[in-house]
Amino acid sequence: MKNVLVTGGAGYIGSHIIVSLLEQGYGAVSADNYSNSTPDVYPRLEELTGKTFAAAEADVRDTGTMARLMREYAIWAVIHCAGYKAVPESIEQPLAYYENNLNTTLSLCNAMRETGVTRFVFSSSATVYGEPEFLPYTEEHPTGNCSNPYGFSKVMNERILTDAAAANPGWGVALLRYFNPIGAHPSGRIGDAPGGKPFNIMPIILQTLTGKLPYVPVTGDTYPTPDGTGIRDYLHIADLADGHVAALRYLETFTGVEAVNLGTGQGVSVLEILRGMETAAGRAIPTKVTPRRPGDIAEMRADASKAKHMFGWETKRTLAEMCADAWRWASNNPRGYENG
């Protein structure tokens, strides 16, 4: 069995990736400092898969600890999800974002060189593209014209990994440029449970539906889009997780670096997401139009044909399923993982 180190494995994306890894025959080791997650998710992952895995409370910026985990568990590949991820917060705290998001990657690369690990899947983002020169974004779209430090940190990490792979010819690196993952595991047992103030649309909607927030702020209704609200390419978290396993299978025989979009190719507006969640929850959602957030752009939408051609991956789940699964998670777990 090939063991995969998943950084941020207790988080929203990392936990779903661990489920997909275990279900598809890989071993998993989670490394997480639980700054925005909880180890309470782990028993649920074992419950869902019927399999066990290892987990360590660890700071991914600590190269020595990462090297020790790689040796102890005979790690074959790294999936790097640990990082700060909120666009508005990155504008308020740019130094924290650069320090954390760059140093985690540098630490992992140094630990890989020390231990001989040669496979790396990076949690990148569509924010690397910035304002669109054309839509949908293909992987050939220019990167680096970002509107926020979060996006720049992803661009810088892609550069670090590209240069590291060039200097280590045996390495295989997949830069997965996510669009907007939402939803939850269909069982309702694991989902998005952010600590502190939520910044992304789905956690905000769910916290409004469960009474934690008074309304959903519609951040801008004057964008040049059909209904005036921002458009994003939303994909189901389970599809995103499966995309990582598909990338790993590709890396089994590939050396070099590939940047690959993971998205549906379909644009959905804020108002359309709200309507979908109202249908799933069976009730109206209070909203309030507020000013645009700094760093937001009008529309992001993927061309995901490269993922299908290269990895044999494409999304399977609909927007209705994303909304239904998100609501099942939130309604069954109003306090997140505190429910047990």
Side-chain angles (χ1 to χ4, degrees), residues 84 89-100 149-150 153:
Y84 297 157
E89 186 178 65
S90 77
I91 294 171
E92 297 169 359
Q93 303 177 39
L95 298 183
Y97 269 68
Y98 290 128
E99 192 277 335
N100 185 76
Y150 168 73
S153 78

Side-chain angles (χ1 to χ4, degrees), residues 73-314:
Y73 294 102
I75 295 298
W76 168 70
V78 173
I79 295 179
H80 181 27
C81 300
Y84 297 157
K85 61 178 184 177
V87 167
E89 186 178 65
S90 77
I91 294 171
E92 297 169 359
Q93 303 177 39
L95 298 183
Y97 269 68
Y98 290 128
E99 192 277 335
N100 185 76
N101 289 3
L102 299 182
N103 283 336
T104 51
T105 300
L106 291 168
S107 168
L108 289 166
C109 287
N110 284 323
M112 287 171 60
R113 291 180 62 198
E114 186 177 327
T115 60
V117 176
T118 60
R119 297 294 182 266
F120 196 108
V121 177
F122 177 57
S123 169
S124 192
S125 167
T127 56
V128 300
Y129 296 123
E131 289 285 350
E133 296 185 9
F134 55 83
L135 285 173
Y137 293 111
T138 69
E139 291 81 358
E140 285 68 45
H141 189 286
T143 62
N145 185 27
C146 304
S147 58
N148 56 79
Y150 168 73
F152 280 119
S153 78
K154 294 296 187 182
V155 172
M156 293 174 189
N157 273 322
E158 288 195 1
R159 184 74 260 169
I160 288 168
L161 290 165
T162 299
D163 291 343
N168 296 276
W171 282 22
V173 177
L175 309 173
L176 301 185
R177 294 172 177 168
Y178 305 172
F179 279 68
N180 292 73
I182 59 173
H185 191 275
S187 67
R189 293 293 287 156
I190 62 172
D192 197 1
K197 178 183 177 182
F199 289 97
N200 295 328
I201 184 65
M202 187 58 78
I204 292 172
I205 291 173
L206 294 175
Q207 290 196 15
T208 303
L209 282 168
T210 54
K212 295 179 182 177
L213 295 174
Y215 59 84
V216 174
V218 177
T219 52
D221 64 350
T222 59
Y223 285 106
T225 62
D227 65 20
T229 65
I231 289 176
R232 297 292 181 267
D233 186 334
Y234 296 98
L235 72 160
H236 197 292
I237 184 66
D239 282 331
L240 181 70
D242 288 344
H244 289 74
V245 180
L248 279 181
R249 295 200 187 284
Y250 182 79
L251 292 181
E252 290 188 9
T253 58
F254 171 79
T255 57
V257 181
E258 287 288 352
V260 181
N261 291 336
L262 295 184
T264 66
Q266 303 298 314
V268 178
S269 75
V270 171
L271 294 185
E272 288 172 322
I273 282 283
L274 283 162
R275 286 195 291 270
M277 286 305 298
E278 287 179 332
T279 298
R283 64 176 190 266
I285 300 170
T287 63
K288 180 180 178 181
V289 176
T290 61
R292 296 185 186 184
R293 298 185 305 184
D296 277 352
I297 63 177
E299 182 174 359
M300 303 179 77
R301 182 163 43 88
D303 179 330
S305 58
K306 184 175 180 180
K308 183 176 182 179
H309 171 75
M310 187 169 288
F311 299 159
W313 174 91
E314 60 184 335

Side-chain angles (χ1 to χ4, degrees), residues 316-333:
K316 300 175 182 177
R317 297 156 179 94
T318 65
L319 179 63
E321 289 175 284
M322 299 178 213
C323 293
D325 290 343
W327 177 237
R328 184 178 304 109
W329 153 254
S331 58
N332 290 341
N333 303 271

